[in-house]
C-alpha cells in the first residue's frame, strides 16, 4: 500500500516510511510511531525489513511486546501490525525517549490509516498509546459509513503498564 505524505513535516523524497505488517489477521495492533532502531534499520530481529515494533533494544516497545507475545503463547504473525505515524519523529535531547509526532503528521497519517482500515475488515483494533488511538479515530471519521469495530485504547507498552494488563489488552 502506497502512503501519501504530501502534507507531512517528516516527508522525505523518496518517502521512507515503515511498512505495515500484513499477516492476514482480523486483529490490528496499532502503535504510535517507529522507534529509532526501526527507522534506522539497525538492531532489528528481521534482518532489516523495517517492520513495526522490531527493535532488540531491551527498553523498547518491541522488546516489551515480544515478551508479552511469549507469555500469551502467540506470535506477531497472529496480528496485523501498523504504526499510527509512519515516520520517526526524532529523539528528545534530554533522554532516550522519542519525540511525540507533530499534529500535522498525525493528521496526514490518519488519511493513510483510513486507507488501511478501508482495505481490511478487522474484527478488533487495539491502539497502544493515545497517539495511536487518536490517529485511528481520525481515520474512522474519514471513512464514510464505518461499520468496523470500536478501537480499544491501551497504555503504550513502554509506559507504566503492568505485564498482566498488557497481556490482557489485546
Amino acid at each position: 500500500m502506497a502512503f501519501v505524505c504530501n502534507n507531512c513535516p517528516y516527508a522525505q523524497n523518496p518517502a521512507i516510511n515503515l511498512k505495515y505488517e500484513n499477516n492476514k489477521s482480523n486483529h490490528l495492533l496499532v502503535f504510535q510511531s517507529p522507534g529509532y532502531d526501526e527507522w534506522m534499520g539497525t538492531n532489528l530481529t528481521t534482518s532489516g525489513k523495517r517492520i513495526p515494533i522490531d527493535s532488540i533494544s531491551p527498553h523498547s516497545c518491541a522488546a516489551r511486546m515480544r515478551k508479552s507475545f511469549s507469555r500469551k503463547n502467540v506470535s506477531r504473525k497472529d496480528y496485523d501490525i501498523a504504526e499510527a505515524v509512519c515516520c520517526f519523529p526524532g529523539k528528545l535531547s534530554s533522554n532516550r525517549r522519542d519525540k511525540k509526532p507533530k499534529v500535522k503528521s498525525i493528521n496526514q497519517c490518519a488519511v493513510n490509516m483510513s486507507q488501511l482500515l478501508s482495505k481490511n475488515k478487522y474484527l478488533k483494533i487495539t491502539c497502544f498509546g493515545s497517539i495511536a488511538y487518536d490517529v485511528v479515530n481520525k481515520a474512522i471519521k474519514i471513512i464514510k459509513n464505518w461499520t468496523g469495530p470500536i478501537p480499544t485504547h491501551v497504555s503504550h507498552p513502554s509506559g507504566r503498564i503492568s505485564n498482566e494488563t498488557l497481556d490482557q489488552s489485546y
Side-chain angles (χ1 to χ4, degrees):
M1 174 185 319
F3 291 123
V4 177
C5 301
N6 298 342
N7 297 317
C8 181
Y10 307 127
Q12 298 182 19
N13 192 6
I16 302 173
N17 54 33
L18 215 58
K19 303 300 180 211
Y20 145 73
E21 186 174 352
N22 182 357
N23 293 313
K24 308 216 182 317
S25 176
N26 62 10
H27 187 172
L28 176 65
L29 304 180
V30 183
F31 296 88
Q32 176 175 297
S33 60
Y36 180 81
D37 289 338
E38 289 98 352
W39 186 247
M40 297 305 292
T42 57
N43 298 320
L44 305 179
T45 62
T46 57
S47 303
K49 289 185 183 175
R50 289 184 129 169
I51 58 174
I53 63 164
D54 189 37
S55 171
I56 61 170
S57 173
H59 302 292
S60 67
C61 169
R64 191 89 194 271
M65 289 306 298
R66 267 195 311 281
K67 290 175 185 174
S68 180
F69 291 153
S70 179
R71 287 189 301 271
K72 289 180 64 150
N73 199 28
V74 297
S75 163
R76 67 182 297 131
K77 297 291 182 193
D78 296 325
Y79 306 92
D80 284 1
I81 303 174
E83 300 284 3
V85 174
C86 300
C87 296
F88 178 59
K91 285 270 198 211
L92 290 172
S93 59
S94 59
N95 60 27
R96 69 173 192 245
R97 307 282 305 185
D98 298 339
K99 291 180 180 177
K100 289 188 185 278
K102 295 180 180 179
V103 172
K104 200 169 184 181
S105 67
I106 289 170
N107 292 335
Q108 181 60 53
C109 283
V111 173
N112 296 333
M113 181 62 68
S114 71
Q115 294 172 12
L116 176 68
L117 296 178
S118 295
K119 183 180 172 188
N120 299 286
K121 302 302 177 201
Y122 293 109
L123 298 178
K124 188 171 184 182
I125 301 170
T126 305
C127 303
F128 294 90
S130 59
I131 291 173
Y133 188 67
D134 184 35
V135 168
V136 169
N137 280 298
K138 285 179 183 212
I140 288 171
K141 287 179 184 173
I142 293 169
I143 300 169
K144 290 181 171 70
N145 304 316
W146 173 255
T147 58
I150 296 170
T152 304
H153 178 252
V154 179
S155 293
H156 193 281
S158 62
R160 292 180 176 92
I161 183 172
S162 71
N163 288 340
E164 181 179 7
T165 300
L166 177 60
D167 295 351
Q168 292 172 356
S169 68
Y170 63 97

